[in-house]
Amino acid sequence: MLNLSRAAADGAHFVEEVEKRSGQRLTHCYQCGKCTAGCPLAFSMDLMPHQVIRLVQLGLREEALDNKAVWLCSTCATCSTRCPKNVDLAALMDALRIMARREGRTRKGASTALFNRIFLDSVRRHGRAHELGIGLQHNLRSGKPFKDSDLARGLLVRGRLKFRPSRIKGAAEVARIFAEVKRMEDGQ
Amino acid sequence: MPRTGVFVCWCGSNIGGVVDCPGLAAEAARLPGVVISVDEKYMCSAPGQNKIIEAVREHRLNRVVVASCSPRLHEETFRKVLARAGLNPYLVEMANIREHCTWVHGPEPERARVKALSLIRRAAAKANRLQPLSGSRIPVTRRCLVIGGGIAGLQAALDVADAGHEVVLVEREPTLGGNMAKLDKTFPTLDCSACINTPKMVSAASHPNIRLYTWAEVESLTGYIGNFEAAIRQKARYVDHEKCTGCGICWEKCPTRVPSEFDAGMGDRKAIYIPFPQAVPNKPVIDREHCRYFKTGKCRICQKLCPTGAVDYEQEEETAVEKVGAVVAATGFSLFDWAGAYGEYGYGKYPDVITGLQFERLVNAAGPTGGKVRRPSDGAVPQTVVFVKCVGSRDEAKGRAYCSRICCMYTAKHALQVLEKVPGARVFVFYMDVRTAGKGYEEFYQRAVREGAVYVRGRVSKIYRDGGRLVVKGADTLLGRPVEVDADLVVLATAVEPAAGAAAVVRLLGVNADQDGFFQEAHPKLRPVETHTGGVFLAGACQAPRDIPDTVAQAGGAAAKVAGLLSRPELVTSPMVSSVNEALCSGCLLCVPVCPYRALEAGVITERINHHPARERVVVKVNTGLCQGCGACNAACRSGAVEVRGFTNEQILAELEALCL
Amino acid sequence: MNYTYYAGCSLHATGREFDLSARAVCGRLGIGLAEIPDWNCCGASPAHSTSHLLAVALSARNLALAEAQGAGDIVVPCAACYQRLAVARKELGEDPGLREQVARITGRDYAGRAGVRSLLEVLGGLDTEHLKAQVTRPLGGLKAACYYGCLLVRPPAVTGFDDPEDPRSMDDLVRLAGAEPVPWGYKTECCGAAHGVANEPVTLKLVRDILEVARRAGADCLVCACPLCQNNLDARQEHVNRVFGTDFGLPVLYFTQLLGWAFGLSDRDLGLDKLFVKFRPGV
């Protein structure tokens, strides 16, 4: 049974942290459902977007972080653009993904989390994203080595994929940005 | 000889879009008595009205049929048109070919046309037999009775009194103020209720045009618009208010404590008491039921201590008679008895499950806790407070079907008050909808949310005690899940009902009540402060659940109606009332009890037939001031002696003939 | 008129033809593009989903480099890069603390002098007579569904150059090129490109919906301004047909390609040969 008084007591810090990271006031949301109504990804989600906010409002950390919905959000910001209360749900979803990753709760968004990690690895190493490399890595590490191989071949013959990453001169500088950010955030 | 004109209205496409109006007019021209028949886009518009006036003059018409909408909408309009054309205004008859025909038969235009023609034929048949009518004049007593001394009654009384008319204000409790006097703050401005209510109480009590009766009830009301007579029973106070100075020694020293009605049971009062410190009048009454002297014959402490000798155990109730020309009912509301109905919320056995009105007393600085939020069971400050809305409202199984309208807003106010008075408190509000239709209301509700009230959409299913806490089991329908809250205090927003005793007032005023017991207005939109009984008006929550701003506005509206009525020395009554053909009346008086307005009574006439000696005979007499022309007497009369003017048997039979034969 | 040019990673790979056509069209219109030297990836969704600070810092390096180059506002063809740079610019401008923190991280300060503009905004803002004068091969009433996607117009507080619910800048350009923009309801729906790698089935459904609505609106082609959208809608079209049993064959091209075609530029210059679904106006 979901005990709201206990959740409110246990979840107070959680609500504060989400508000701080997202810059959004949770109480602004009055649960009209317009975010869900317009969300192009809602069809694929386990929780509706308004329910994700509801869970945060009630202080339910685990459920708000450990779900598919936050990882299926594509940050298209349709919700934020149309919210009658000016809640930037896209920013809230970002905050939840960041917190979920920091707490190791990526189980339900494993594929997306893996993609993000590989993508950022690519940027850290080369300074730019190497699309072919990212796709291959993702295939290998998610156990689907031949996924999208037709697509990749089509792109290659049209000169729309590069075999080799283009490494920028300031790659080390970019790597330092990653390191600096990590140092600052871990130090928080 | 009737010379009747028929005027067929298109009402834009309302009628014209379904039936062929020029065709109808052409067919109507062939009806008996009809000398001209025309159509027009909007007969009620200036060109339409002028068309009628010109036709009356040109064709020397003496009867008019308007085939258009319901007479409820425009009969009065066309009567005025006839008056402008120089005809008696009652020589117009309407055929309702809109509501009764084209609006409901749109898909079948041919059958609609046949029906419309039938309706016009009926109207023409009646029109041919219409007679000129004129109302009678009755005098007006230029005083007003206001029943109820809450905010509605106070406002109505003050507005009428300020308009220069005398007011008799009757309040059944020992003080003016009503429910509003019990409130702490008022939404959405959070100004204190006492600060805006008590000055009105004082103004009413000291107004030169207001005669105040408190601790008194209206026993009976007779008469009719402009000429009522009210019997007012002044209950015994056992304190001579002429002598009493309101010093307070008596209630200080009285040894008997009784749960205070004013504090909704959250605090005590004495057996000799004023309900609250700012009561008006600020002088006590003795509660005979609990007074030790009245129960045992001993005590007399108050009498012994009273410095002016005002306590009088021998005082008896008295009845006063007041003549008035108008009456305002402002009897207010009571709260639904939730404890009798909601077993799932504990049937009232948990002291920490209270009503919103009880909460008002808890947060009121002048209340039993001095404004500290303390729960009744142990006086502890509650850390988690749950509000439950719609208790008895919108509940067809256990309570009332309607929305009580004020709860959403006062619950938001209560939530804010808890958050303000108890730092760190948690507030949960269970709701089905949040209804905030008022100026500044939505913003106020949002403020409560912003300050931290957690609104949970769903009804509460059960409240039970588990150790020292109350467990509230509800649902969050937005998550689609059952939830529960551990609460220290639960506040129920209970339904607003007509005041206890409202039914008796409805009866004594001869007005109607709706299915929920609220006073029935004459028309929900166009005559919201009037009743079907002439001269009786409505103010405040006696008519429907209503908040303070709306109550004050409506009371002002009722006062304006009263002032309008009392501004004239005489009234012209509607001529469409019953009349008695005394020659036919057998004096059986069967019609008297069927009259809902008590407009009929026995009378005696003296008559002489041929050369026999004069003799006296009983016949029924109509009080045209009371009669509303409903026709019940007409139906009950076996000898056909009683008829409603404008609806005579001859006219009705002619209509039936035109319709059915 | 001269701009600093930020291509972004996609325009060097899957969106190669956007880069080609953007440069060709700008060249024809007399707009000088000076590429930011040694620019880095904007971080895209993976960055802002992982660390707000990282997302701002990656974009901030580009902004600072551009500003140092001093060649005016930054023009960005890619909708995603454009939005990330614009978000970073806005946040750095509004929060001096963040600006200072980011400057420490990147070792470069961005004072906010160089603005961030999308290429669509820049071309849409040109004198229409100037544009019309370049049109040598009008598109003869070709029906085009202009697809803006998410990031070009949202959030409006960041982008703001066009209406977020009914953007018209691309429609206007398409009309200038002699094509007929069709009114349709999916101008700004998300195509799910961000999930193309990680959650393909979700993406395919969104692509199918967009193609379907465009076709029902009578479109002969889709015109877009984002390499993620273009790649998603064009390269995955065959896959969509396989999965859903559909028979879409709608060319999906960049607005710069469409404009360039009307300007009489060659297929090769515009990268039209790189499309999966061939664009053959008038055939």
Side-chain angles (χ1 to χ4, degrees), chain A residues 1-6 8-10 12 25 27-31 47 50-52 54-55 57-58 60 63 85, chain B residues 384 426 428 430-431 442 445-446 449-450 452 454-457 469 473 476 478-486:
Chain A
M1 175 66 75
L2 172 49
N3 187 302
L4 295 182
S5 30
R6 245 170 274 156
D10 298 346
R25 278 295 300 274
T27 54
H28 280 196
C29 167
Y30 54 23
Q31 290 283 298
L47 287 170
H50 75 275
Q51 291 179 317
V52 173
R54 186 69 185 143
L55 290 168
Q57 284 179 330
L58 296 176
L60 296 160
E63 292 179 65
K85 297 282 284 175
Chain B
T384 302
R426 294 194 188 286
F428 295 89
F430 284 91
Y431 71 98
E442 175 68 14
Y445 152 54
Q446 291 300 332
V449 174
R450 226 170 30 244
V454 178
Y455 273 68
V456 186
R457 191 186 177 284
R469 63 176 188 153
K473 288 167 69 75
D476 185 326
L478 297 167
L479 278 182
R481 263 200 255 172
V483 296
E484 59 182 36
V485 179
D486 302 332

Side-chain angles (χ1 to χ4, degrees), chain A residues 114-155:
Chain A
L114 175 64
F115 174 78
N116 290 351
R117 202 159 61 239
I118 294 168
F119 185 99
L120 292 177
D121 274 348
S122 177
V123 176
R124 184 174 50 213
R125 296 223 313 270
H126 316 301
R128 290 185 189 165
H130 178 229
E131 290 170 316
L132 179 61
I134 292 165
L136 284 173
Q137 278 275 342
H138 192 272
N139 282 4
L140 283 174
R141 289 164 70 178
S142 59
K144 296 173 191 158
F146 302 111
K147 189 175 150 293
D148 282 341
S149 52
D150 288 353
L151 180 67
R153 200 177 310 122
L155 288 164

Side-chain angles (χ1 to χ4, degrees), chain B residues 625-661:
Chain B
L626 286 175
C627 178
Q628 303 291 318
C630 74
C633 53
N634 191 353
C637 181
R638 295 182 296 188
S639 49
V642 190
E643 291 194 313
V644 179
R645 298 202 289 163
F647 294 94
T648 65
N649 290 354
E650 186 206 353
Q651 290 163 349
I652 290 170
L653 288 171
E655 292 178 75
L656 286 174
E657 200 175 330
L659 269 182
C660 310
L661 299 179

Side-chain angles (χ1 to χ4, degrees), chain C residues 8-175:
Chain C
C9 309
S10 289
L11 267 72
H12 282 204
T14 48
R16 181 106 183 78
E17 62 277 29
F18 198 7
D19 189 41
L20 289 172
S21 54
R23 289 174 187 273
V25 166
C26 285
R28 175 61 65 89
L29 290 166
I31 298 172
L33 299 177
E35 187 153 7
I36 301 175
D38 208 41
W39 54 267
N40 58 273
C41 170
C42 71
S45 284
H48 68 71
S49 292
T50 303
S51 160
H52 175 244
L53 200 53
L54 178 66
V56 179
L58 286 173
S59 290
R61 179 176 178 272
N62 293 318
L63 293 170
L65 287 172
E67 193 165 80
Q69 185 180 243
D73 284 354
I74 307 161
V75 64
V76 191
C78 168
C81 300
Y82 156 68
Q83 196 234 32
R84 290 324 307 165
L85 293 182
V87 165
R89 173 178 153 77
K90 182 166 190 287
E91 292 189 358
L92 290 168
E94 287 171 358
D95 184 349
L98 181 69
R99 177 178 157 190
E100 197 183 312
Q101 190 180 21
V102 167
R104 274 207 306 279
I105 292 170
T106 60
R108 299 169 188 275
D109 189 34
Y110 168 63
R113 283 192 302 277
V116 177
R117 302 178 67 188
S118 97
L119 181 63
L120 178 62
E121 177 187 5
V122 168
L123 297 192
L126 292 177
D127 177 48
T128 49
E129 293 309 316
H130 177 48
L131 283 162
K132 266 190 209 159
Q134 313 304 320
V135 176
T136 57
R137 187 164 47 165
L139 280 150
L142 175 87
K143 293 194 172 170
C146 293
Y147 177 68
Y148 297 75
C150 338
L151 302 172
L152 208 53
V153 290
R154 285 192 296 258
V158 170
T159 59
F161 71 90
D162 206 341
D163 187 302
E165 297 297 352
D166 186 16
R168 287 172 292 263
S169 47
M170 205 190 310
D171 295 63
D172 293 344
L173 287 174
V174 161
R175 198 176 289 113

